[in-house]
Amino acid sequence: MAEQSTSDEKPTGSLLEEDEENSVTMLDVLQQENALEEDCNAVLGASDDQNCTYNKGYIRQALYACKTCCNIGTRAAICLACSLHCHEGHDLVELYTKRHTRCDCGNTKFGDKACSLETSKEAENSENKYNQNYDGVYCTCARPYPDPEATESDEMIQCTICEDWYHTQHLGNGDDLPKDNDYSEMICAGCMKSHDFLWRYATKYSISKTKKSQTSSEEKVDVDETKDEKECILPVEEFLKKEGSIFWTEGWRCSLCICDKCKKTYEEHELSYLLDPLDSVQAYEEAGKASKGESRYEQGMRALASLGHVEQINAIEEYNKMKENLKQYLQKFAENKKVVREEDIKEFFSGMKSQKRQKVVVPTFCR
């Protein structure tokens, strides 16, 4: 008769469940790392942290504003490399990305302070456009982010046109908001009002497709005239209620009309960039991913497949230990408002390596 397992022993089923639990935990670690990496790509893209981007001209890039160097009311754009090498320890505002912007570091906006990475710069970047984000405030409420006076957290979304960031409660849509994965871009209520021809496209390519059920005789004439335009595919119907912000479906830009008349409209509204497939933040992020090659998530999943159960547990323990130590190490940078440099990270991991104790090998059998 087989002996029953004692209370200190775990049945085979429990061991299998423990294996599954630890496997999921390791997968969570990799997924968390992947999420962080995607956030990094979203902000930095293919940005160079060693060389000023000035010679690349007007491009979409990760930008910063320096409150330490610029007087109140002076708005200036700083590239990633300059934020690290020319403005270390300064009070910086992270701007995420802006289109068609050239690095201002060292020009007349900074007085006598020169750029240490690129000294041959013009006095001013005439094509740069600056919004309130350079002052460290966002949305129609013109508040900082994070807002120290906020009583509850609220997601912020960037407008495709003005590139300002808006609290969801200030978009003018009430509670009628799509989920993150249901739309590709958003245009704020203010920009929709300034560029009202976009409401035509919203009847077909927005998440909310409310439109007029009938057209009046006066509008019918306009519709017929539009149809007579050769190759013009501008939708003829109007939105029933031209209010609030618009959330656009994937690929909506590809549906924009490119007839001569519509191209002229884009030019008049200074929106020609909407026809550029490389203008979107999504394209910027994809370029960042492509420049990095295989992601850490992919590398981790490949490595995970080769690990045994005990090795997985050891990896989790080492990861948690490293994460806690790194958190404590970075805390001093946050308290002193210092930029974390590549040398700082190398110093941290060198310290971690020196602290590793020699492993004790437990024999798997006894004589």
Side-chain angles (χ1 to χ4, degrees):
M1 184 175 177
E3 295 182 0
Q4 292 181 344
S5 60
T6 64
S7 58
D8 293 333
E9 294 177 338
K10 290 185 178 181
T12 304
S14 296
L15 290 174
L16 289 175
E17 290 173 2
E18 182 181 341
D19 283 346
E20 291 178 0
E21 182 181 348
N22 284 297
S23 296
V24 171
T25 303
M26 176 57 79
L27 183 60
D28 288 342
V29 168
L30 294 175
Q31 289 175 336
Q32 182 182 31
E33 175 68 18
N34 186 52
L36 291 172
E37 189 171 0
E38 287 183 350
D39 288 344
C40 180
N41 288 334
V43 176
L44 301 181
S47 298
D48 185 349
D49 62 356
Q50 298 296 321
N51 301 291
C52 178
T53 59
Y54 180 81
N55 291 326
K56 294 182 179 180
Y58 294 90
I59 59 173
R60 176 179 288 282
Q61 59 180 309
L63 294 171
Y64 303 80
C66 183
K67 290 185 175 181
T68 303
C69 294
C70 293
N71 297 324
I72 297 176
T74 301
R75 296 174 176 177
I78 301 170
C79 71
L80 173 64
C82 286
S83 74
L84 298 172
H85 298 276
C86 305
H87 302 270
E88 181 185 1
H90 292 190
D91 186 4
L92 298 176
V93 177
E94 185 176 1
L95 300 171
Y96 189 59
T97 78
K98 304 290 184 187
R99 66 167 58 87
H100 196 74
T101 305
R102 201 174 195 180
C103 182
D104 285 318
C105 179
N107 66 16
T108 54
K109 290 178 176 287
F110 291 85
D112 296 331
K113 180 176 175 57
C115 175
S116 62
L117 299 179
E118 179 57 58
T119 57
S120 302
K121 292 186 177 182
E122 295 180 2
E124 183 180 348
N125 293 317
S126 59
E127 296 181 34
N128 278 7
K129 293 184 178 180
Y130 312 92
N131 62 13
Q132 65 173 352
N133 298 166
Y134 288 83
D135 302 326
V137 295
Y138 309 85
C139 191
T140 56
C141 59
R143 295 295 302 167
Y145 181 83
D147 190 342
E149 298 181 8
T151 56
E152 57 184 30
S153 61
D154 185 17
E155 180 185 358
M156 297 195 79
I157 306 175
Q158 188 180 35
C159 173
T160 295
I161 292 180
C162 67
E163 296 191 301
D164 198 351
W165 292 80
Y166 296 86
H167 297 103
T168 55
Q169 60 182 325
H170 296 154
L171 289 173
N173 295 48
D175 296 328
D176 185 20
L177 298 172
K179 296 180 180 179
D180 289 345
N181 296 328
D182 290 345
Y183 69 95
S184 64
E185 294 180 296
M186 183 276 292
I187 296 180
C188 71
C191 287
M192 288 300 297
K193 184 177 181 179
S194 298
H195 313 291
D196 60 351
F197 73 94
L198 290 174
W199 288 106
R200 293 281 189 91
Y201 291 105
T203 60
K204 287 189 175 183
Y205 308 112
S206 70
I207 301 302
S208 177
K209 299 177 181 177
T210 306
K211 55 190 177 182
K212 289 185 178 180
S213 58
Q214 294 181 345
T215 56
S216 65
S217 58
E218 182 179 353
E219 290 170 334
K220 188 68 169 60
V221 174
D222 180 62
V223 168
D224 291 339
E225 288 177 354
T226 305
K227 287 185 176 180
D228 290 338
E229 286 285 336
K230 291 183 178 179
E231 301 179 359
C232 183
I233 57 173
L234 174 68
V236 297
E237 294 184 87
E238 294 277 2
F239 239 62
L240 178 62
K241 196 174 183 180
K242 296 183 180 180
E243 294 179 1
S245 305
I246 288 294
F247 293 83
W248 300 90
T249 57
E250 185 75 29
W252 74 279
R253 293 199 195 195
C254 297
S255 302
L256 295 176
C257 181
I258 56 173
C259 73
D260 291 340
K261 182 178 179 180
C262 286
K263 282 185 176 180
K264 186 177 180 180
T265 300
Y266 304 140
E267 292 173 1
E268 291 173 348
H269 286 254
E270 298 184 347
L271 297 178
S272 296
Y273 55 78
L274 290 178
L275 301 178
D276 181 2
L278 299 180
D279 170 78
S280 69
V281 173
Q282 183 179 0
Y284 173 86
E285 293 176 5
E286 292 300 325
K289 293 177 183 178
S291 68
K292 302 296 188 302
E294 186 181 38
S295 69
R296 289 191 179 90
Y297 176 73
E298 293 169 331
Q299 295 171 2
M301 288 300 293
R302 182 159 41 82
L304 179 60
S306 65
L307 292 179
H309 172 62
V310 176
E311 292 171 311
Q312 287 184 22
I313 294 177
N314 288 336
I316 293 171
E317 291 176 346
E318 288 297 321
Y319 174 83
N320 288 331
K321 178 182 176 182
M322 181 274 293
K323 184 173 68 172
E324 184 59 32
N325 288 343
L326 181 59
K327 180 180 178 181
Q328 295 176 5
Y329 178 75
L330 295 177
Q331 186 62 35
K332 63 181 182 181
F333 291 91
E335 292 172 351
N336 298 321
K337 294 185 177 181
K338 290 184 63 179
V339 175
V340 182
R341 303 168 302 173
E342 181 180 356
E343 305 93 89
D344 298 320
I345 298 300
K346 288 181 178 178
E347 178 187 342
F348 167 77
F349 283 106
S350 295
M352 283 284 292
K353 187 175 181 180
S354 64
Q355 292 173 8
K356 276 190 175 182
R357 293 177 295 180
Q358 184 177 3
K359 290 185 178 180
V360 178
V361 179
V362 180
T364 57
F365 62 91
C366 295
R367 292 184 179 180

